[in-house]
Amino acid sequence: MDKPSAGMSKVGSRSTASLPPEPADIIRSMSCYRRVKLNVGGLPHEVLWRTLDRLPRTRLGKLRDCKTHEALMDICDDYNLDDNEYFFDRHPGAFTSILNFYRTGKLHMMEEMCALSFSQELDYWGVDEIYLESCCQARYHQKKEQMNEELKREADTLKDREGEEFDNTCCSEKKKKLWDLLEKPGSSVAAKILAIISILFIVLSTIALSLNTLPELQDTDEFGQTTDNPQLAHVEAVCIAWFTMEYILRFLSSPNKWKFFKGPLNVIDLLAILPYYVTIFLTESNKSVLQFQNVRRVVQIFRIMRILRILKLARHSTGLQSLGFTLRRSYNELGLLILFLAMGIMIFSSLVFFAEKDEDDTKFKSIPASFWWATITMTTVGYGDIYPKTLLGKIVGGLCCIAGVLVIALPIPIIVNNFSEFYKEQKRQEKAIKRREALERAKRNGSIVSMNVREAFSRGAELLDVVVMDKGERTQDNHLSPSRWKWSSKRATSETSSNRSFNPDQGSPNKATASSPQRLNAQKLEEMYNQMAKTQSQPNLNTKDRCTSRAGHRKDEIELGALPGPGDPLNGGREGVVDMKSLSSIDSYISCATDFQENPRFPYSSAGGLSFPESSRFSHSPGSGLSGRVRANPSLQPTMEHETMLTPPCSGAKPPNTEDLRQQSLLGNAHKMHSVRVNHRNCGETSPLGGPRSDSSILSDHSILSPEVSVYTTASSRTPPKTPEKKGSTGAVFTFHDASISKYIDADTDDEEHLRESGPSDRLLGGLSSKSRLTSAYQGGTNHLEAAQRLLGQNCLFPLGSSPGNAYENHVASENSRRPKGDRGYSSSFDKGL
Amino acid sequence: MRELPRVRYADCNSSEASEETVIAVNIGGVKHVLYGDMLNRYSETRLGQLADRATDCAQDLSALCDDYDSSKREFYFDRDPEAFRCIMELYYCGEIHMKRGICPMCFMREMDFWGIDAEYLDECCTSSLHEVETELAEIAEKVKTILDDLEGDATANRVQRCQVFLWKLMEKPESSLAARVIAIVSFVFVLLSSVVMCVGTIPELQVQNADGHLVEHPTLECIETACIIWFTVEYVLRFISSSNKVHFMFSFMNIVDFLAIMPFYVVLILTHLGTAMMELANVQQAVQALRIMRIARIFKLARHSSGIQTLTYALKSSLKELGLLLMYMGVGIFLFSALGYTMEQSHPETMFTSIPQSFWWAIITMTTVGYGDIYPKTTLGRCNAAVSFLCGVIAIALPIHPIINNFVIFYSKQRVLETAAKHEIELMALRAKEEVQGSPDDGKMAAQRTRASGGNSSGWDSAAVNASHSDTYIPLLGDTAKGSKRQPVHKCKDS
């Protein structure tokens, strides 16, 4: 944590003060040193320029060719010409390996490095992964494939869960209840009881089936044939009735009939009940004695099929399911096992046949006949109905035993491995699902105001799919990638945002107005930060909270990031819109307060998205903790401001809002903020007296100090404490975070990809709007997509209320900042207050 | 720049010992201060030489270090600072431990640069190095075979090209559709002939010949003949197309092939000519014996199954464990059969008539097969049987574990190797291409750079630049046909 901050301050000294250096300065600086200092995530490196020139198409290779400030800022995150130092806000660990690639020409990978994160680093630095040496390449691809597989599976399960969504028909509620009751034994006590009853019936029916074959219990019918015991037949009928009812109810309540019909467990269910009905049908319809024998044979076959009902237990046992899955997955190894056995049987049976065939009354009459012997011997069962008698035969037999043990033992560990892996995974997923359900229950109870995890999740899954699809058509714009890259199709992680930002085209629209979206008013920012630091006395307390929430937020920001068209960074996002419901009662304030807990995260996440394209990946990196804390502070501000706007019962009037929005949009035009919607439900009706209020709403410090606000902040005390005066908070939300964090981490990996999909500016704007989207989604109870559409629809509602001075201010200091850009990210939201 | 070291030199001389020499080095941005006497302990290393020559003129030094800052008297090395920390341990402690997590090959490269012999690496770290090295060697082997396959000899005449074409057709099922079809047909024939062999022994399907002996059904015999003809054709074509006939003759799979077809012809010859030379009974016995050899054709399946190849590979590499298994079993059999024999002596109707006879019982018991044709009847004998069963389980389970381990390793490696080799080839092709393209490009770049920095070169320097191939390729480097080797890959990449 110290290192980056140290770097920051050092660097900041230059950036805040001066204008961008002249190209001549840059060129001079580059030519007068033979070496260059690279500061990557706080870790200083020193390297010869000519070492970097070895790979001229990579990011570091291009650094030398930069002649202007803009070009430099495109490549590195910050620089200091006097110190000949360039700062990159990346993970330092991976960079060591990458710099070694420049030095030695061999790309190796640190063992403890996550393959995915390493590949992202490679993308950022513009090095193609094909250069990985063979010794590390195998590990890399193995890990990567494993990861991708896991992600895909996760996405699949999510999709499955999504598939259970019920359409809004009249009885959907009941249907869903029934479905939960029958399919999810964990959902309620009744469901659990039902499951237990079902298991009991299965056991009972199998016992009855077995008892039926006891000769003592069998009756004889008029033809002298044995038939079922009448009592047991009754038991059977009852069981079948239960099974049938269960099946039909399941079928009726299932959201997707065809999928239900196809499901393997349901096929088993059907096979368990069908034979009974077929038997009845056959015996009833063919009463005539003529066909009776044939019918009887058929009936016998169906009777055997009844045994399938024992497989119904699979529904209630994870172990059985994973056994089935393992067998399905390791059919290769099973095939091998059978092949080995078959070969062994062939060889030994023919050997023993030739050894034994001259014996009198030998049982080895032919090779097929001795197959049985070989099988029984190789599996070491050894019934003893056939055994060799000659010396030669006995020798063959002995060899057969040992070979059998060997041959069976060999492929089994592989299958076992598969099984244990899957079993572990299953257990993990079960836990994850439980957590998710607990979370949802908590949400329903109202202890948490939405996060809409489910939705975010499903969206994540969809996006993942999109990514997976996209990767096929992705162009190879990686700098070093050869024209034919073998594994490209396997790379689920697609182009990084870093790559895009690297690409000059991407940044250009922004550059036209401001120098770049990444550079914001740093001075102001610092000021604000200091201010906030004063008000906030316990930053460390928040850090953890920040970290936990960030994963969740990325999701939101992704959704938002997807909204703006990539082509209209300037026009698309001019208007800031705030979506608010009027708050007339204390309840709504409380809900606002809970919301508040959401809000702070948005600037944070936006900042994360903007400046640390990969910071999310390296949440352990020294810098992120700090920046997290830093961002937490200003995030408070905007929310406060919004509350103040709402405080007077008759306020929430348009003028202040629009005013505010304009200011937002001023900022927004620098970095295309957009899509916040004003939803004046009640406010519009109340008298427009925004004038006086606008002051307090605009000046965030005032709002902190203003008495009304403090009232409301105490009302919002359920949120995690942000400032000293809100210390009274409790853990309701906190625990929520703790519980959910691991899940977020589970889902983390998908998000990264989406994150990187959207350009930095997209992310910024997404982050900005996310707050308001959150409010709209959570308060208004509308779903995200809807909100998004509305946003789009209202695009031109607030046509860029431009106050030139403000805009100017925005851009003046834009290139000075050498702080981590995370700060800049929030500054945008923050400036609203000024 | 020239003056300064000389002054130092004088200084050193005057202080009459090089112990005083203090060398400041900057390793990729991390600065160290080293003492000359310490470095001199290993004077053959790069740092040792540096300490020796620290006093020389700057030009000589530039060969040793990447940059020299005369004002600070600081030597700059463009290397990994973290690896250097481990390297420094040599001077302090006399041994080197690898940095945790670093790839061993990467670390070896660093050690190379610093002029430190690999033997200074401590024992505890060498194992991982060896692991990686063997893996790389395997990959290199694989790459070599693939390259050999790809090698289309342009100079070859028509006959040779035909030969290569035929060879590919017969031996490389994945090379073309026709080759795949041939492989499948061959597989079917192997299966068919095996089935025919088995079915032919069923008494109901046999027919009596003129002498009243049961012989195989004529249709089965026809199928058998067809199969043999196919096998023969296959074998002959393979033989013709092989470039090295002797090597071909003695490779395992081809011996199996030969054994699979040979009995048929021997039987044919014997039945037609043999009667003239020896007794009919003898001929028939010989024919019988040769029939057994037909079993060899089952092994022909191994050609088509990678699983069986893995099995043989695993068994071959774990011969020691197999020997152990047999030895354990042998000892157990001797021990328990003798015990069983003596204990069962008291019973009047004992089934253990002699020790060699009770060998059979011991085997069957120890492998837990238990036919029940011989079983102990006295209490003592039964106790012995129980013990022998337990011992048998242990005796089998213990040596089997390493065998299984071998198998699993080979099995999982097989897949990894394939991708690794492909990757390696791509990497080589890429580098080769870059080399070709890079040369004009480099020139331009170099000029540009020289102007800018006064630097002396571009591209990777000496050690690194045999670097158009990766570490794996180094074993192959020894080949004289280096150029020709790389070319084909190149060609195939372009096409």
Side-chain angles (χ1 to χ4, degrees):
Chain A
M1 215 188 234
D2 295 339
K3 270 189 179 175
S5 63
M8 235 186 279
S9 59
K10 183 173 72 184
V11 158
S13 61
R14 175 194 67 79
S15 54
T16 46
S18 63
L19 289 166
E22 290 298 308
D25 293 338
I26 293 171
I27 293 168
R28 197 185 319 128
S29 146
M30 282 184 176
S31 55
C32 70
Y33 293 104
R34 287 189 68 196
R35 289 177 243 161
V36 56
K37 282 178 196 143
L38 302 174
N39 186 344
V40 178
L43 205 67
H45 296 270
E46 198 169 1
V47 67
L48 289 173
W49 274 116
R50 74 176 138 91
T51 308
L52 299 184
D53 291 341
R54 284 171 190 159
L55 294 168
R57 276 168 294 171
T58 58
R59 183 174 279 259
L60 284 177
K62 281 180 181 172
L63 187 63
R64 187 68 176 284
D65 296 326
C66 293
K67 301 281 183 273
T68 60
H69 169 80
E70 280 77 19
L72 265 181
M73 284 312 275
D74 254 359
I75 284 180
C76 64
D77 290 317
D78 210 342
Y79 63 91
N80 187 340
L81 289 182
D82 301 333
D83 291 354
N84 187 29
E85 183 168 336
Y86 297 85
F87 179 74
F88 294 89
D89 213 352
R90 303 296 296 190
H91 185 241
F95 183 69
T96 316
S97 312
I98 287 160
L99 194 60
N100 265 347
F101 177 49
Y102 285 88
R103 285 170 174 153
T104 62
K106 314 279 182 215
L107 183 57
H108 292 271
M109 170 186 165
M110 297 297 278
E111 236 158 66
E112 66 263 33
M113 198 86 201
C114 167
L116 273 181
S117 108
F118 191 68
S119 88
Q120 282 155 3
E121 288 297 306
L122 286 182
D123 278 345
Y124 175 82
W125 295 108
V127 176
D128 198 280
E129 60 188 0
I130 195 175
Y131 283 105
L132 258 183
E133 289 299 314
S134 301
C135 45
C136 302
Q137 177 268 342
R139 199 154 39 85
Y140 175 74
H141 282 286
Q142 234 170 329
K143 272 190 189 170
K144 220 171 148 183
E145 252 161 67
Q146 210 177 321
M147 272 318 293
N148 287 340
E149 204 173 286
E150 222 153 88
L151 288 181
K152 221 179 281 168
R153 208 182 307 152
E154 191 99 351
D156 280 350
T157 50
L158 282 171
K159 226 189 275 169
D160 283 354
R161 292 175 64 76
E162 238 4 72
E164 287 169 16
E165 283 307 324
F166 293 81
D167 47 352
N168 293 325
T169 52
C170 53
C171 53
S172 69
E173 192 74 356
K174 278 178 208 158
K175 248 171 132 184
K176 183 164 168 42
K177 256 186 197 150
L178 194 61
W179 180 250
D180 282 348
L181 197 66
L182 290 167
E183 284 281 323
K184 293 169 189 161
S187 63
S188 67
V189 181
K192 204 164 274 172
I193 289 170
L194 264 183
I196 289 169
I197 290 174
S198 185
I199 292 174
L200 283 181
F201 267 112
I202 293 167
V203 172
L204 186 67
S205 72
T206 39
I207 289 173
L209 192 71
S210 324
L211 284 182
N212 238 336
T213 57
L214 278 181
E216 294 88 43
L217 294 179
Q218 279 177 334
D219 286 354
T220 49
D221 58 6
E222 63 265 37
F223 302 108
Q225 303 278 2
T226 54
T227 56
D228 297 349
N229 187 309
Q231 275 92 43
L232 288 175
H234 285 146
V235 172
E236 172 84 9
V238 170
C239 289
I240 287 290
W242 171 265
F243 293 151
T244 315
M245 195 184 72
E246 211 184 3
Y247 185 79
I248 289 173
L249 282 180
R250 276 212 178 100
F251 185 73
L252 287 181
S253 68
S254 74
N256 184 343
K257 307 284 183 220
W258 176 238
K259 209 167 139 204
F260 175 86
F261 194 69
K262 273 195 309 187
L265 287 176
N266 299 317
V267 170
I268 287 173
D269 280 3
L270 195 64
L271 284 180
I273 48 178
L274 264 190
Y276 185 81
Y277 292 107
V278 173
T279 315
I280 287 177
F281 174 74
L282 283 177
T283 44
E284 293 303 314
S285 62
N286 299 291
K287 278 289 182 194
S288 59
V289 193
L290 187 71
Q291 289 176 316
F292 196 68
Q293 277 305 323
N294 286 336
V295 170
R296 213 184 154 69
R297 209 165 293 149
V298 175
V299 166
Q300 280 301 331
I301 290 168
F302 278 107
R303 197 186 262 275
I304 292 163
M305 280 179 68
R306 283 190 201 173
I307 208 65
L308 281 173
R309 69 184 57 157
I310 197 79
L311 292 179
K312 273 168 75 78
L313 281 178
R315 191 186 283 280
H316 305 285
S317 150
T318 323
L320 271 176
Q321 278 170 25
S322 45
L323 179 69
F325 191 84
T326 309
L327 292 186
R328 221 177 335 156
R329 207 164 65 158
S330 45
Y331 64 92
N332 241 334
E333 287 78 20
L334 278 179
L336 206 64
L337 178 66
I338 288 169
L339 181 72
F340 284 173
L341 262 184
M343 271 187 74
I345 287 168
M346 273 285 220
I347 292 163
F348 284 108
S349 61
S350 34
L351 280 178
V352 85
F353 168 71
F354 285 115
E356 290 275 324
K357 69 179 182 140
D358 295 331
E359 278 289 293
D360 302 333
D361 70 310
T362 178
K363 284 178 177 158
F364 298 93
K365 289 204 177 72
S366 66
I367 292 179
S370 42
F371 278 172
W372 171 243
W373 169 84
T375 314
I376 292 305
T377 307
M378 285 194 85
T379 52
T380 71
V381 171
Y383 289 127
D385 50 347
I386 316 176
Y387 49 88
K389 280 168 189 151
T390 61
L391 177 66
L392 215 60
K394 282 180 177 175
I395 291 171
V396 171
L399 286 178
C400 184
C401 298
I402 293 170
V405 172
L406 254 182
V407 149
I408 290 177
L410 287 182
I412 280 183
I414 300 170
I415 301 173
V416 168
N417 212 21
N418 274 348
F419 176 77
S420 65
E421 235 167 64
F422 179 73
Y423 193 72
K424 242 186 279 167
E425 177 69 15
Q426 189 101 342
K427 283 267 171 236
R428 200 183 67 81
Q429 266 179 14
E430 251 173 35
K431 263 184 212 153
I433 286 171
K434 248 176 225 162
R435 268 203 305 265
R436 212 167 293 158
E437 270 162 10
L439 183 63
E440 258 170 56
R441 220 172 301 138
K443 210 163 65 186
R444 235 177 286 130
N445 296 346
S447 56
I448 312 162
V449 172
S450 77
M451 204 39 229
N452 226 340
V453 179
R454 233 269 198 69
E455 209 171 287
F457 251 79
S458 63
R459 189 158 289 258
E462 276 166 35
L463 280 174
L464 176 67
D465 285 356
V466 169
V467 170
V468 169
M469 274 188 285
D470 275 356
K471 79 196 167 181
E473 54 207 50
R474 239 181 339 113
T475 50
Q476 296 292 329
D477 58 346
N478 214 344
H479 309 280
L480 282 179
S481 64
S483 48
R484 292 166 44 191
W485 168 230
K486 218 171 158 142
W487 285 280
S488 65
S489 58
K490 286 181 198 162
R491 290 195 287 185
T493 54
S494 52
E495 290 311 301
T496 57
S497 60
S498 53
N499 253 352
R500 293 197 176 175
S501 61
F502 199 3
N503 193 346
D505 307 337
Q506 290 283 339
S508 56
N510 295 317
K511 256 183 257 161
T513 54
S515 54
S516 117
Q518 302 180 347
R519 270 150 272 146
L520 285 169
N521 194 337
Q523 257 174 328
K524 205 139 271 175
L525 174 85
E526 219 162 85
E527 224 172 83
M528 283 302 136
Y529 173 59
N530 294 336
Q531 218 170 33
M532 286 322 296
K534 271 179 236 154
T535 49
Q536 177 172 4
S537 60
Q538 64 234 81
N540 287 331
L541 211 155
N542 295 333
T543 0
K544 188 189 162 204
D545 186 36
R546 294 296 94 218
C547 291
T548 61
S549 61
R550 123 202 295 199
H553 265 281
R554 266 185 280 132
K555 244 160 263 159
D556 297 318
E557 112 203 9
I558 289 151
E559 292 172 20
L560 294 155
L563 288 176
D568 55 350
L570 278 173
N571 311 323
R574 287 262 164 100
E575 75 285 355
V577 189
V578 184
D579 180 4
M580 273 169 260
K581 280 177 86 174
S582 82
L583 307 166
S584 50
S585 70
I586 189 75
D587 286 341
S588 44
Y589 287 122
I590 287 168
S591 72
C592 179
T594 35
D595 227 349
F596 167 76
Q597 186 265 322
E598 308 282 342
N599 289 341
R601 290 195 237 145
F602 100 82
Y604 170 73
S605 60
S606 76
L610 169 72
S611 61
F612 287 149
E614 85 292 28
S615 70
S616 47
R617 275 176 270 141
F618 303 116
S619 48
H620 59 280
S621 75
S624 62
L626 172 75
S627 51
R629 169 162 47 95
V630 168
R631 289 183 208 127
N633 305 333
S635 66
L636 179 66
Q637 298 280 82
T639 28
M640 295 304 296
E641 160 200 329
H642 285 261
E643 279 171 17
T644 40
M645 289 198 302
L646 298 166
T647 39
C650 55
S651 83
K654 257 173 191 168
N657 274 344
T658 41
E659 185 79 19
D660 193 350
L661 288 166
R662 265 193 207 137
Q663 277 165 2
Q664 275 189 347
S665 61
L666 293 177
L667 294 161
N669 62 16
H671 32 268
K672 38 170 190 165
M673 189 193 74
H674 87 144
S675 74
V676 191
R677 179 175 174 256
V678 180
N679 189 0
H680 310 275
R681 292 213 182 146
N682 303 350
C683 322
E685 296 150 21
T686 54
S687 66
L689 52 69
R693 295 255 42 106
S694 60
D695 284 341
S696 66
S697 66
I698 285 167
L699 283 175
S700 46
D701 343 357
H702 288 202
S703 66
I704 284 182
L705 300 171
S706 76
E708 308 125 10
V709 172
S710 61
V711 170
Y712 297 120
T713 42
T714 42
S716 71
S717 62
R718 275 164 59 201
T719 62
K722 292 287 179 296
T723 56
E725 52 273 34
K726 289 181 199 160
K727 242 182 258 172
S729 79
T730 63
V733 188
F734 246 78
T735 47
F736 154 65
H737 279 300
D738 289 344
S740 60
I741 170 144
S742 45
K743 186 170 8 135
Y744 285 128
I745 284 165
D746 285 355
D748 230 82
T749 30
D750 319 17
D751 299 328
E752 280 162 36
E753 292 172 8
H754 312 145
L755 241 186
R756 298 156 78 229
E757 278 293 290
S758 55
S761 42
D762 281 0
R763 239 175 285 131
L764 169 64
L765 97 95
L768 281 173
S769 52
S770 75
K771 171 185 70 180
S772 36
R773 295 244 358 245
L774 281 168
T775 47
S776 71
Y778 301 140
Q779 289 189 353
T782 51
N783 98 20
H784 285 198
L785 251 178
E786 253 174 73
Q789 281 159 358
R790 261 185 280 140
L791 294 171
L792 286 172
Q794 303 222 350
N795 246 356
C796 43
L797 234 177
F798 298 101
L800 179 62
S802 64
S803 93
N806 207 344
Y808 176 67
E809 197 177 65
N810 266 339
H811 308 307
V812 170
S814 55
E815 55 276 315
N816 312 346
S817 94
R818 221 185 148 175
R819 310 176 118 270
K821 274 165 277 154
D823 296 355
R824 289 172 212 144
Y826 78 67
S827 76
S828 58
S829 60
F830 197 44
D831 280 359
K832 278 177 271 179
L834 298 168
Chain B
M1 206 169 180
R2 272 186 178 213
E3 258 48 51
L4 239 106
R6 284 206 179 137
V7 174
R8 283 178 60 84
Y9 188 58
D11 278 346
C12 290
N13 264 3
S14 66
S15 63
E16 75 178 358
S18 58
E19 291 129 45
E20 309 280 312
T21 332
V22 174
I23 298 173
V25 292
N26 180 349
I27 315 289
V30 177
K31 288 169 187 162
H32 294 263
V33 174
L34 306 171
Y35 293 94
D37 61 329
M38 205 175 61
L39 298 183
N40 272 327
R41 277 183 223 162
Y42 301 94
S43 56
E44 74 281 6
T45 63
R46 191 178 276 256
L47 283 176
Q49 285 172 356
L50 189 76
D52 272 349
R53 289 200 251 160
T55 48
D56 290 359
C57 64
Q59 253 121 16
D60 288 350
L61 287 172
S62 67
L64 282 177
C65 68
D66 290 316
D67 199 4
Y68 179 66
D69 189 340
S70 54
S71 62
K72 292 187 211 153
R73 289 182 197 164
E74 191 182 77
F75 299 93
Y76 174 77
F77 291 93
D78 203 4
R79 304 302 292 189
D80 184 12
E82 282 173 52
F84 182 73
R85 271 186 209 121
C86 303
I87 301 273
M88 273 315 291
E89 276 178 22
L90 175 72
Y91 300 98
Y92 294 127
C93 324
E95 56 190 31
I96 292 183
H97 293 269
M98 235 180 262
K99 186 172 73 168
R100 201 177 54 81
I102 198 171
C103 174
M105 294 314 289
C106 182
F107 194 76
M108 289 315 289
R109 205 149 264 290
E110 290 294 318
M111 285 181 64
D112 255 9
F113 177 82
W114 295 109
I116 293 163
D117 202 88
E119 69 193 21
Y120 288 115
L121 198 65
D122 201 57
E123 297 266 326
C124 57
C125 301
T126 40
S127 60
S128 65
L129 175 68
H130 284 312
E131 235 168 71
V132 177
E133 266 174 354
T134 49
E135 201 186 309
L136 286 182
E138 274 161 21
I139 293 174
E141 190 101 336
K142 193 104 188 176
V143 167
K144 205 174 166 187
T145 55
I146 293 178
L147 285 186
D148 282 344
D149 290 347
L150 289 174
E151 199 166 13
D153 223 347
T155 58
N157 56 28
R158 208 187 153 83
V159 179
Q160 272 169 324
R161 239 177 294 160
C162 273
Q163 204 176 347
V164 170
F165 174 73
L166 206 58
W167 178 252
K168 271 191 190 163
L169 198 67
M170 305 306 293
E171 288 277 337
K172 313 279 176 206
E174 64 274 9
S175 67
S176 69
L177 186 69
R180 184 161 296 158
V181 169
I182 286 178
I184 290 170
V185 169
S186 175
F187 182 75
V188 168
F189 267 111
V190 171
L191 275 187
L192 190 66
S193 73
S194 306
V195 169
V196 164
M197 183 186 77
C198 297
V199 170
T201 58
I202 296 174
E204 289 87 43
L205 293 180
Q206 287 175 330
V207 289
Q208 284 195 331
N209 65 357
D211 306 334
H213 288 290
L214 286 171
V215 292
E216 277 184 22
H217 202 273
T219 45
L220 290 181
E221 219 149 346
C222 285
I223 298 172
E224 170 82 10
T225 317
C227 290
I228 289 292
I229 287 169
W230 170 264
F231 292 153
T232 316
V233 169
E234 208 184 4
Y235 184 77
V236 168
L237 281 181
R238 278 211 175 103
F239 185 74
I240 289 171
S241 67
S242 75
S243 50
N244 187 344
K245 312 279 187 220
V246 178
H247 184 256
F248 178 86
M249 287 293 288
F250 289 102
S251 81
F252 175 72
M253 284 317 300
N254 293 317
I255 290 175
V256 167
D257 281 2
F258 183 70
L259 286 182
I261 48 175
M262 195 264 301
F264 181 81
Y265 292 104
V266 174
V267 167
L268 212 64
I269 293 165
L270 277 183
T271 44
H272 283 271
L273 306 174
T275 40
M277 286 184 282
M278 39 180 152
E279 290 289 312
L280 188 67
N282 283 350
V283 169
Q284 266 176 349
Q285 258 178 349
V287 167
Q288 281 300 331
L290 284 171
R291 274 194 162 203
I292 300 174
M293 289 180 66
R294 283 198 204 170
I295 299 163
R297 70 185 56 163
I298 293 168
F299 287 110
K300 273 168 77 76
L301 283 179
R303 198 188 279 282
H304 304 286
S305 158
S306 62
I308 292 173
Q309 277 165 9
T310 315
L311 176 70
T312 52
Y313 207 53
L315 289 183
K316 225 191 281 174
S317 66
S318 45
L319 276 181
K320 224 167 130 190
E321 285 84 8
L322 276 179
L324 206 65
L325 175 67
L326 287 182
M327 197 194 74
Y328 285 174
M329 287 300 290
V331 169
I333 287 164
F334 266 101
L335 188 69
F336 291 110
S337 62
L339 278 177
Y341 172 73
T342 44
M343 282 165 185
E344 286 291 306
Q345 282 303 304
S346 56
H347 202 274
E349 294 165 23
T350 179
M351 292 169 169
F352 296 73
T353 48
S354 68
I355 289 181
Q357 257 224 308
S358 40
F359 280 174
W360 171 242
W361 167 82
I363 293 175
I364 292 306
T365 309
M366 284 185 75
T367 55
T368 72
V369 170
Y371 289 128
D373 49 346
I374 310 177
Y375 49 89
K377 283 169 181 161
T378 62
T379 320
L380 224 58
R382 282 176 182 161
C383 291
N384 174 51
V387 172
S388 79
F389 153 76
L390 279 178
C391 289
V393 169
I394 292 169
I396 290 174
L398 292 186
I400 264 187
H401 187 254
I403 302 175
I404 290 174
N405 224 12
N406 267 339
F407 179 78
V408 172
I409 288 171
F410 281 125
Y411 188 79
S412 54
K413 211 185 248 175
Q414 212 175 22
R415 282 178 297 179
V416 173
L417 266 187
E418 198 76 24
T419 45
K422 272 179 196 153
H423 170 262
E424 186 61 31
I425 286 173
E426 290 207 11
L427 188 55
M428 279 161 55
L430 181 72
R431 291 218 155 115
K433 203 155 69 185
E434 251 172 32
E435 206 167 75
V436 172
Q437 286 175 351
S439 45
D441 204 36
D442 267 356
K444 207 171 55 188
M445 202 76 75
Q448 200 184 344
R449 294 305 181 213
T450 334
R451 183 168 47 73
S453 65
N456 40 12
S457 75
S458 73
W460 276 295
D461 50 329
S462 55
V465 175
N466 46 41
S468 55
H469 36 72
S470 72
D471 289 335
T472 320
Y473 196 61
I474 286 169
L476 299 176
L477 244 193
D479 286 336
T480 48
K482 171 182 160 190
S484 75
K485 219 145 238 160
R486 217 182 297 159
Q487 224 168 7
V489 189
H490 202 129
K491 239 185 334 197
C492 85
K493 295 251 44 132
D494 288 345
S495 61

